[in-house]
Amino acid sequence: MKASIIETLELHHDDLYSRWVQDLDETTDRLNISYYQITQVKNELFESIYKSLHQENDRFIKDFDELYKKIVENNEALEYISTGYQSFRRAALWILLKEDLPKEEVLDIYQEVDRWFDPVFNKMISKCTDSWEETFNVQKKTLVELSAPVIQLYDHISVMPLVGHIDEERINRIQENLLAGVTKYHSSIVFMDITGVPVLDTFAAQGIIESTRAAGLLGAECILVGVRPEIAQTLINLGIDLKELKTFSSLNNGLVFAQNQLEH
């Protein structure tokens, strides 16, 4: 942005802030964003936008990232921040166009403000979106890992796909869901698919064995599929009798076995 325009805004800093707060409050009241009535949040957002007048994009993104992390946990964060930028643009134009200026100068001010506003606003939106997507993906992955659904494949045949690390909390959830699924679908055979489990340690292996035994009490046979060589070695090292637990390298191989079993 031109030095002359920045100088004008600096000379009217207090007026700029007051006008911005007024515009922002009116807008956020309409949007019902009550959380951001906190003065400290307003001040930090204003200073972030104000400093972007002087900053290169890389520096702006770094500073903005620190601000965004403070308020990202609130659902209205993106909407409030974008509103803050738009209010700042309107307040800046109000300051710059207060005097009676020639048409050419008015046009030049609009163009200069837009040349500053558009890339900064776009980068801000992009940064918020990237951060939101990253947070969403982490939460989605966590949700998948914590869940252990039993899915019916055919009559009396179900599968429980397991993804991620298996700890004590997950073992309890796995066993609860397994027993509930066996009952719900009247399963005679349940595949526990561990293809998505990166490591099957001693604790996890023992927990799975206990879960299969519990399902057996309800009349269901549990078959472990997605077994890789290193997992097979873990089972052997645990002294698990593979006659007690059937294993297959893939779900497809297990299904062939199960269908043959049910046909006979």
Side-chain angles (χ1 to χ4, degrees):
M1 187 175 289
K2 288 183 178 179
S4 58
I5 292 181
I6 294 177
E7 183 179 352
T8 300
L9 294 177
E10 288 179 342
L11 287 173
H12 297 86
H13 179 277
D14 292 345
D15 287 344
L16 177 63
Y17 178 77
S18 298
R19 185 74 183 183
W20 176 76
V21 168
Q22 179 183 344
D23 190 289
L24 182 65
D25 285 350
E26 291 173 356
T27 305
T28 53
D29 282 346
R30 290 197 301 272
L31 296 174
N32 195 29
I33 308 178
S34 58
Y35 172 82
Y36 295 102
Q37 299 305 316
I38 302 173
T39 301
Q40 181 181 353
V41 177
K42 288 180 181 176
N43 291 342
E44 290 182 359
L45 180 56
F46 178 83
E47 288 304 315
S48 174
I49 301 171
Y50 187 78
K51 286 194 296 184
S52 71
L53 296 171
H54 306 265
Q55 292 172 327
E56 296 294 331
N57 284 335
D58 289 344
R59 181 68 233 181
F60 154 72
I61 285 297
K62 182 179 179 181
D63 286 353
F64 174 76
D65 191 39
E66 294 173 359
L67 170 65
Y68 183 73
K69 286 177 181 178
K70 294 180 181 180
I71 56 180
V72 71
E73 293 181 357
N74 300 281
N75 292 332
E76 305 127 329
L78 176 57
E79 187 175 24
Y80 177 77
I81 293 172
S82 64
T83 299
Y85 272 80
Q86 293 165 4
S87 292
F88 187 93
R89 180 180 181 277
R90 288 190 290 268
L93 287 172
W94 183 81
I95 294 292
L96 295 168
L97 300 175
K98 279 199 304 183
E99 300 180 8
D100 187 16
L101 300 173
K103 179 180 178 181
E104 293 77 11
E105 192 168 342
V106 169
L107 182 61
D108 183 61
I109 288 174
Y110 268 102
Q111 290 177 338
E112 190 67 20
V113 170
D114 284 346
R115 278 194 290 268
W116 157 77
F117 177 81
D118 289 346
V120 168
F121 185 76
N122 289 338
K123 281 186 176 292
M124 179 273 299
I125 292 293
S126 177
K127 183 64 181 177
C128 288
T129 302
D130 289 346
S131 297
W132 180 85
E133 288 180 349
E134 181 180 352
T135 301
F136 173 78
N137 288 334
V138 170
Q139 291 175 340
K140 182 179 179 181
K141 180 180 178 182
T142 300
L143 181 61
V144 170
E145 291 186 356
L146 287 177
S147 66
V150 174
I151 303 168
Q152 186 176 30
L153 297 177
Y154 305 102
D155 287 344
H156 309 297
I157 300 179
S158 304
V159 61
M160 172 180 273
L162 301 178
V163 179
H165 179 68
I166 298 177
D167 56 16
E168 183 175 359
E169 180 180 354
R170 288 205 68 200
I171 283 294
N172 293 333
R173 186 183 297 271
I174 287 169
Q175 187 169 117
E176 291 173 3
N177 290 0
L178 177 61
L179 299 181
V182 167
T183 302
K184 179 179 180 180
Y185 299 119
H186 307 287
S187 302
S188 299
I189 295 176
V190 180
F191 295 105
M192 299 187 74
D193 189 349
I194 59 172
T195 304
V197 177
V199 178
L200 191 68
D201 57 21
T202 301
F203 175 82
Q206 289 175 334
I208 287 177
I209 295 300
E210 291 174 3
S211 298
T212 63
R213 289 170 178 164
L217 296 176
L218 297 180
E221 179 182 13
C222 285
I223 299 175
L224 203 61
V225 297
V227 177
R228 304 183 298 276
E230 62 272 22
I231 290 179
Q233 189 62 52
T234 298
L235 296 174
I236 292 172
N237 292 339
L238 286 173
I240 293 173
D241 185 358
L242 295 183
K243 293 180 180 178
E244 176 186 357
L245 178 65
K246 289 186 176 66
T247 64
F248 290 93
S249 60
S250 69
L251 178 59
N252 184 63
N253 291 339
L255 279 172
V256 172
F257 168 82
Q259 288 171 338
N260 289 334
Q261 286 289 100
L262 293 179
E263 287 174 1
H264 297 86

